[in-house]
Amino acid sequence: AGLSLGHGAPHIMRAVLEAGGYALRHVAEPIVAAGVELRRLVVSGAADRMRPIAALRADILGVPVDMPVLADTAAVGAAILAATGIGAHPDARAAIRAMVRIAERAEPHAAAHAAYDRVYQVYRELYPATADLQHRLADLGDGTPRPS
């Protein structure tokens, strides 16, 4: 939606990255609605730890995005649980405070967040408005002609 001949590869790449941020926000909404306060997002993985992508996520979500020193968060999580389990820390929160270090933080920019908020409202309306068409396209497969 909104794609024209005036758009090129950089626009499409940015749209893909923004869509990832909108999807995160979409997932976070019911959690926040249930009463959980979203104060920050801690990311892992090579792409999310890139400063421009983390900054984009911060602007879309409206919360700081922290990039931990250790990228292998699964291993760190296992170590936190193990340290808690053997009594090295009284609980998981204490273990997290002792074992997790943040390398960098991307802060949201109010003006960018306000702009993304306006686009996000349209994003939320897009799927319900096009769901039938998307399902029909999915039913057609990838559209590649197959030999008989």
Side-chain angles (χ1 to χ4, degrees), residues 86-101:
I86 65 167
H89 297 283
D91 55 41
R93 285 185 191 265
I96 290 168
R97 281 192 296 277
M99 299 171 71
V100 175
R101 296 288 174 258

Side-chain angles (χ1 to χ4, degrees), residues 21-95:
Y22 291 139
L24 279 173
R25 183 169 169 181
H26 195 182
V27 168
E29 274 186 343
I31 297 168
V32 171
V36 176
E37 182 183 5
L38 180 60
R39 293 185 305 258
R40 69 180 178 141
L41 175 69
V42 180
V43 296
S44 62
D48 281 325
R49 292 170 44 83
M50 291 181 189
R51 177 93 175 120
I53 295 173
L56 185 70
R57 301 270 195 262
D59 288 341
I60 291 172
L61 291 166
V63 297
V65 173
D66 289 341
M67 295 158 273
V69 171
L70 297 174
D72 191 352
T73 53
V76 174
I80 287 166
L81 294 176
T84 304
I86 65 167
H89 297 283
D91 55 41
R93 285 185 191 265

Side-chain angles (χ1 to χ4, degrees), residues 1-20 56:
L3 189 61
S4 73
L5 293 176
H7 292 96
H11 299 103
I12 294 170
M13 177 54 96
R14 183 174 183 98
V16 168
L17 296 174
E18 289 172 340
L56 185 70

